[in-house]
Structures are given as C-alpha cells and as structure tokens.
Amino acid sequence: MPQTLDRPPDEGFAGPSIHASCVAVGEAGILVRGPAGCGKSSFILNLMLDAPRCLPPGDLVADDRVFLSRQNGALWAAPPPVLAGLVEVRGLGIMRFPHRPRVRLTHLVDLGRDNERMPECRHVDFEGVELRQIVSKDAVRAVLMLAAALTGMDHLD
C-alpha cells in the first residue's frame, strides 16, 4: 500500500501533516511556519548551506509538510515519507538533500509577521509544549534572530 502525506512515518507520529518546514541545528529542532511564499524553504536552506558562523550547518528534517508527535512531554517533527529529503528551491525546482528522520522541537519560527521590538513573551505553547518563539516578516532576519537565540543568553535569565 503506497504511503500518502497524511500517513505517519512510524508508530509515534499520528494525524495529518501540517504546512511548515523543519530544520535541525545541533540538537535544536526548529519548526518554521508561515503563509505560502514567505520564505520557509529559504530559511531552512540558509541554515543548511550558509549558516551564520556561530552555528553548525543545519540538517534538513522536512520541507512543506511536517508530521508532529508529542512523546514524554516533548514535541517531535518528522517528514512525510514521500517528501523526505526534498526541498523546493525557487528558480531551480525540487532538490534532494541529506536529512534527519526526526528531531525534538525547541524553537518555533513564525515568518511573514511583524515582530515586536521588545516582546514580552519569548515562548509560546504549541501543541501543549513550550517552544522558544521567533517572529519575523523577513526570513534572512529570522536566521540571525535564531542564531542569537541559540548562542546568546537572555539578560533576564
């Protein structure tokens, strides 16, 4: 029986996939969401192919569709099998890259939205799990914000 986008990749992943992309930077899993054309694929490609100097290169987890699973208080992401390793590169088409089969999510990046200069809340409850949230209208700026969030220390901590 062929697998479809709405069929989970293994026993731990249930339900339909969501429209998002996902990349792993070290042990950090970053879920990227936003409207079509906002730069989700560009964001993950930037982390994979030209990561800021302070970060290791990112590993593709999923592009366009992502399966989510809550396990032991953590939220995990995986690609739908038919899309595993594939990324849409505007102007080039669909390209294949090495990928991780799953990652524990730590950050949620919301693209295509204006961000507050000094947000009150830097975390969001997503699917019952608290994730560090980054909001940016621009994918390039969001990469720098993520690099700062992963390497810097909050002055309030």
Short mmCIF file of all heavy atoms in Angstrom, two decimals, residues 26-66:
data_model
loop_
_atom_site.label_atom_id
_atom_site.label_comp_id
_atom_site.label_asym_id
_atom_site.label_seq_id
_atom_site.Cartn_x
_atom_site.Cartn_y
_atom_site.Cartn_z
N GLY A 26 22.31 21.40 15.35
CA GLY A 26 22.78 20.66 16.51
C GLY A 26 21.64 19.81 17.02
O GLY A 26 21.01 19.09 16.26
N GLU A 27 21.33 19.93 18.31
CA GLU A 27 20.21 19.18 18.88
C GLU A 27 18.92 19.98 18.90
O GLU A 27 17.89 19.47 19.34
CB GLU A 27 20.57 18.73 20.30
CG GLU A 27 21.72 17.74 20.34
CD GLU A 27 21.46 16.52 19.47
OE1 GLU A 27 20.38 15.92 19.58
OE2 GLU A 27 22.35 16.17 18.66
N ALA A 28 18.96 21.23 18.42
CA ALA A 28 17.77 22.08 18.42
C ALA A 28 16.93 21.82 17.17
O ALA A 28 17.44 21.85 16.05
CB ALA A 28 18.17 23.55 18.47
N GLY A 29 15.65 21.57 17.37
CA GLY A 29 14.73 21.40 16.26
C GLY A 29 13.94 22.68 16.06
O GLY A 29 13.35 23.21 17.01
N ILE A 30 13.93 23.19 14.84
CA ILE A 30 13.28 24.46 14.54
C ILE A 30 12.15 24.22 13.56
O ILE A 30 12.37 23.77 12.44
CB ILE A 30 14.29 25.49 13.95
CG1 ILE A 30 15.35 25.87 15.00
CG2 ILE A 30 13.56 26.75 13.52
CD1 ILE A 30 16.55 25.03 15.02
N LEU A 31 10.93 24.49 13.99
CA LEU A 31 9.75 24.39 13.14
C LEU A 31 9.50 25.78 12.56
O LEU A 31 9.46 26.77 13.30
CB LEU A 31 8.54 23.93 13.95
CG LEU A 31 7.26 23.69 13.15
CD1 LEU A 31 7.42 22.48 12.22
CD2 LEU A 31 6.08 23.49 14.09
N VAL A 32 9.32 25.85 11.25
CA VAL A 32 9.14 27.13 10.55
C VAL A 32 7.78 27.12 9.89
O VAL A 32 7.49 26.25 9.07
CB VAL A 32 10.24 27.34 9.48
CG1 VAL A 32 10.15 28.73 8.91
CG2 VAL A 32 11.62 27.06 10.04
N ARG A 33 6.95 28.11 10.24
CA ARG A 33 5.64 28.19 9.63
C ARG A 33 5.38 29.60 9.12
O ARG A 33 6.06 30.55 9.52
CB ARG A 33 4.55 27.73 10.59
CG ARG A 33 4.41 28.59 11.81
CD ARG A 33 3.35 28.05 12.76
NE ARG A 33 3.24 28.96 13.90
CZ ARG A 33 2.33 28.87 14.83
NH1 ARG A 33 1.44 27.89 14.79
NH2 ARG A 33 2.28 29.73 15.82
N GLY A 34 4.40 29.71 8.26
CA GLY A 34 4.03 30.99 7.69
C GLY A 34 3.29 30.77 6.39
O GLY A 34 3.21 29.65 5.88
N PRO A 35 2.76 31.84 5.82
CA PRO A 35 1.99 31.71 4.57
C PRO A 35 2.88 31.30 3.40
O PRO A 35 4.11 31.46 3.44
CB PRO A 35 1.40 33.10 4.36
CG PRO A 35 2.24 34.03 5.17
CD PRO A 35 2.80 33.23 6.31
N ALA A 36 2.26 30.77 2.36
CA ALA A 36 2.98 30.37 1.16
C ALA A 36 3.78 31.55 0.62
O ALA A 36 3.30 32.69 0.59
CB ALA A 36 2.00 29.87 0.10
N GLY A 37 5.03 31.28 0.24
CA GLY A 37 5.88 32.31 -0.35
C GLY A 37 6.58 33.22 0.64
O GLY A 37 7.26 34.17 0.25
N CYS A 38 6.45 32.97 1.96
CA CYS A 38 7.05 33.86 2.95
C CYS A 38 8.54 33.59 3.18
O CYS A 38 9.22 34.38 3.83
CB CYS A 38 6.29 33.80 4.27
SG CYS A 38 6.53 32.27 5.18
N GLY A 39 9.06 32.44 2.69
CA GLY A 39 10.49 32.17 2.85
C GLY A 39 10.83 30.99 3.73
O GLY A 39 11.98 30.87 4.19
N LYS A 40 9.89 30.10 4.00
CA LYS A 40 10.18 28.93 4.86
C LYS A 40 11.32 28.09 4.28
O LYS A 40 12.26 27.74 4.99
CB LYS A 40 8.92 28.08 5.03
CG LYS A 40 7.81 28.74 5.82
CD LYS A 40 6.60 27.86 5.99
CE LYS A 40 5.89 27.53 4.70
NZ LYS A 40 5.28 28.67 4.02
N SER A 41 11.24 27.77 3.00
CA SER A 41 12.29 26.96 2.37
C SER A 41 13.61 27.72 2.32
O SER A 41 14.67 27.14 2.56
CB SER A 41 11.87 26.53 0.96
OG SER A 41 10.72 25.71 1.02
N SER A 42 13.56 29.02 2.04
CA SER A 42 14.78 29.83 2.03
C SER A 42 15.43 29.87 3.40
O SER A 42 16.65 29.81 3.54
CB SER A 42 14.48 31.26 1.56
OG SER A 42 14.06 31.26 0.23
N PHE A 43 14.61 29.95 4.45
CA PHE A 43 15.10 29.96 5.82
C PHE A 43 15.88 28.68 6.12
O PHE A 43 17.02 28.73 6.60
CB PHE A 43 13.92 30.11 6.79
CG PHE A 43 14.31 30.06 8.25
CD1 PHE A 43 14.66 31.22 8.92
CD2 PHE A 43 14.30 28.87 8.95
CE1 PHE A 43 15.01 31.17 10.26
CE2 PHE A 43 14.65 28.81 10.28
CZ PHE A 43 15.01 29.98 10.94
N ILE A 44 15.28 27.51 5.81
CA ILE A 44 15.98 26.26 6.12
C ILE A 44 17.20 26.07 5.22
O ILE A 44 18.22 25.57 5.67
CB ILE A 44 15.04 25.04 6.11
CG1 ILE A 44 14.47 24.77 4.74
CG2 ILE A 44 13.96 25.17 7.16
CD1 ILE A 44 13.70 23.46 4.64
N LEU A 45 17.11 26.49 3.95
CA LEU A 45 18.28 26.39 3.06
C LEU A 45 19.42 27.25 3.56
O LEU A 45 20.59 26.85 3.50
CB LEU A 45 17.90 26.79 1.64
CG LEU A 45 17.16 25.73 0.84
CD1 LEU A 45 16.58 26.35 -0.43
CD2 LEU A 45 18.05 24.56 0.51
N ASN A 46 19.10 28.44 4.07
CA ASN A 46 20.14 29.31 4.60
C ASN A 46 20.86 28.63 5.75
O ASN A 46 22.09 28.65 5.83
CB ASN A 46 19.54 30.65 5.05
CG ASN A 46 20.58 31.68 5.34
OD1 ASN A 46 21.33 31.55 6.29
ND2 ASN A 46 20.60 32.72 4.53
N LEU A 47 20.12 27.99 6.65
CA LEU A 47 20.74 27.31 7.78
C LEU A 47 21.53 26.07 7.34
O LEU A 47 22.52 25.72 7.95
CB LEU A 47 19.69 26.92 8.82
CG LEU A 47 19.15 28.10 9.63
CD1 LEU A 47 17.94 27.68 10.42
CD2 LEU A 47 20.22 28.68 10.53
N MET A 48 21.08 25.41 6.27
CA MET A 48 21.76 24.22 5.78
C MET A 48 23.02 24.56 4.98
O MET A 48 24.05 23.90 5.12
CB MET A 48 20.81 23.42 4.86
CG MET A 48 19.65 22.76 5.58
SD MET A 48 18.33 22.22 4.45
CE MET A 48 19.23 21.36 3.18
N LEU A 49 22.95 25.58 4.12
CA LEU A 49 24.01 25.84 3.15
C LEU A 49 24.90 27.02 3.49
O LEU A 49 26.02 27.11 2.99
CB LEU A 49 23.38 26.06 1.76
CG LEU A 49 22.51 24.91 1.26
CD1 LEU A 49 21.85 25.30 -0.05
CD2 LEU A 49 23.32 23.64 1.11
N ASP A 50 24.40 27.94 4.31
CA ASP A 50 25.17 29.15 4.62
C ASP A 50 24.83 29.64 6.02
O ASP A 50 24.45 30.79 6.22
CB ASP A 50 24.88 30.23 3.58
CG ASP A 50 25.83 31.41 3.68
OD1 ASP A 50 26.96 31.22 4.16
OD2 ASP A 50 25.45 32.52 3.28
N ALA A 51 24.98 28.74 6.99
CA ALA A 51 24.63 29.08 8.37
C ALA A 51 25.53 30.18 8.90
O ALA A 51 26.69 30.28 8.50
CB ALA A 51 24.76 27.84 9.25
N PRO A 52 25.02 31.03 9.81
CA PRO A 52 25.89 32.01 10.46
C PRO A 52 27.10 31.32 11.08
O PRO A 52 27.01 30.17 11.52
CB PRO A 52 24.97 32.63 11.53
CG PRO A 52 23.59 32.44 10.99
CD PRO A 52 23.63 31.12 10.27
N ARG A 53 28.24 32.02 11.13
CA ARG A 53 29.49 31.43 11.62
C ARG A 53 29.39 30.82 13.00
O ARG A 53 30.10 29.89 13.33
CB ARG A 53 30.59 32.50 11.65
CG ARG A 53 31.08 32.91 10.30
CD ARG A 53 32.18 33.91 10.44
NE ARG A 53 31.71 35.07 11.19
CZ ARG A 53 31.78 36.31 10.77
NH1 ARG A 53 32.32 36.58 9.62
NH2 ARG A 53 31.33 37.29 11.50
N CYS A 54 28.48 31.34 13.82
CA CYS A 54 28.37 30.85 15.20
C CYS A 54 27.59 29.54 15.31
O CYS A 54 27.53 28.94 16.38
CB CYS A 54 27.75 31.91 16.09
SG CYS A 54 26.06 32.33 15.64
N LEU A 55 27.01 29.07 14.20
CA LEU A 55 26.19 27.85 14.22
C LEU A 55 26.78 26.77 13.34
O LEU A 55 27.37 27.06 12.30
CB LEU A 55 24.77 28.15 13.71
CG LEU A 55 23.92 29.13 14.49
CD1 LEU A 55 22.58 29.32 13.80
CD2 LEU A 55 23.73 28.68 15.93
N PRO A 56 26.58 25.51 13.71
CA PRO A 56 26.93 24.43 12.77
C PRO A 56 25.91 24.44 11.64
O PRO A 56 24.80 24.95 11.81
CB PRO A 56 26.80 23.16 13.62
CG PRO A 56 25.79 23.52 14.66
CD PRO A 56 26.01 25.01 14.95
N PRO A 57 26.25 23.87 10.48
CA PRO A 57 25.26 23.78 9.41
C PRO A 57 24.03 23.02 9.87
O PRO A 57 24.13 22.05 10.63
CB PRO A 57 25.98 23.02 8.30
CG PRO A 57 27.43 23.19 8.60
CD PRO A 57 27.54 23.31 10.09
N GLY A 58 22.87 23.48 9.43
CA GLY A 58 21.63 22.81 9.78
C GLY A 58 21.42 21.55 8.96
O GLY A 58 21.99 21.39 7.88
N ASP A 59 20.61 20.66 9.49
CA ASP A 59 20.21 19.43 8.79
C ASP A 59 18.74 19.54 8.44
O ASP A 59 17.91 19.83 9.30
CB ASP A 59 20.40 18.20 9.69
CG ASP A 59 21.86 17.94 10.03
OD1 ASP A 59 22.72 18.15 9.17
OD2 ASP A 59 22.11 17.50 11.17
N LEU A 60 18.42 19.25 7.19
CA LEU A 60 17.03 19.21 6.77
C LEU A 60 16.29 18.14 7.55
O LEU A 60 16.80 17.04 7.74
CB LEU A 60 16.96 18.90 5.26
CG LEU A 60 15.57 18.61 4.70
CD1 LEU A 60 14.69 19.85 4.78
CD2 LEU A 60 15.69 18.10 3.27
N VAL A 61 15.10 18.48 8.00
CA VAL A 61 14.19 17.48 8.55
C VAL A 61 13.01 17.35 7.59
O VAL A 61 12.73 16.26 7.10
CB VAL A 61 13.72 17.84 9.98
CG1 VAL A 61 12.70 16.82 10.48
CG2 VAL A 61 14.91 17.92 10.93
N ALA A 62 12.35 18.47 7.27
CA ALA A 62 11.20 18.42 6.36
C ALA A 62 10.96 19.78 5.73
O ALA A 62 11.23 20.80 6.34
CB ALA A 62 9.96 17.97 7.13
N ASP A 63 10.46 19.75 4.51
CA ASP A 63 10.07 20.99 3.83
C ASP A 63 8.64 20.84 3.33
O ASP A 63 8.28 19.81 2.76
CB ASP A 63 11.01 21.29 2.66
CG ASP A 63 10.70 22.64 2.01
OD1 ASP A 63 10.43 23.61 2.75
OD2 ASP A 63 10.72 22.72 0.77
N ASP A 64 7.85 21.85 3.57
CA ASP A 64 6.47 21.98 3.10
C ASP A 64 5.45 21.26 3.97
O ASP A 64 4.41 21.81 4.26
CB ASP A 64 6.33 21.54 1.64
CG ASP A 64 4.99 21.95 1.07
OD1 ASP A 64 4.65 23.14 1.18
OD2 ASP A 64 4.27 21.08 0.54
N ARG A 65 5.70 20.04 4.38
CA ARG A 65 4.80 19.28 5.24
C ARG A 65 5.61 18.64 6.36
O ARG A 65 6.71 18.14 6.12
CB ARG A 65 4.07 18.17 4.47
CG ARG A 65 3.32 18.61 3.24
CD ARG A 65 2.19 19.58 3.48
NE ARG A 65 1.21 19.11 4.44
CZ ARG A 65 0.20 19.87 4.87
NH1 ARG A 65 0.06 21.10 4.45
NH2 ARG A 65 -0.65 19.40 5.74
N VAL A 66 5.06 18.66 7.58
CA VAL A 66 5.75 18.12 8.74
C VAL A 66 4.77 17.32 9.60
O VAL A 66 3.67 17.79 9.88
CB VAL A 66 6.37 19.25 9.61
CG1 VAL A 66 7.09 18.69 10.82
CG2 VAL A 66 7.31 20.13 8.78
#
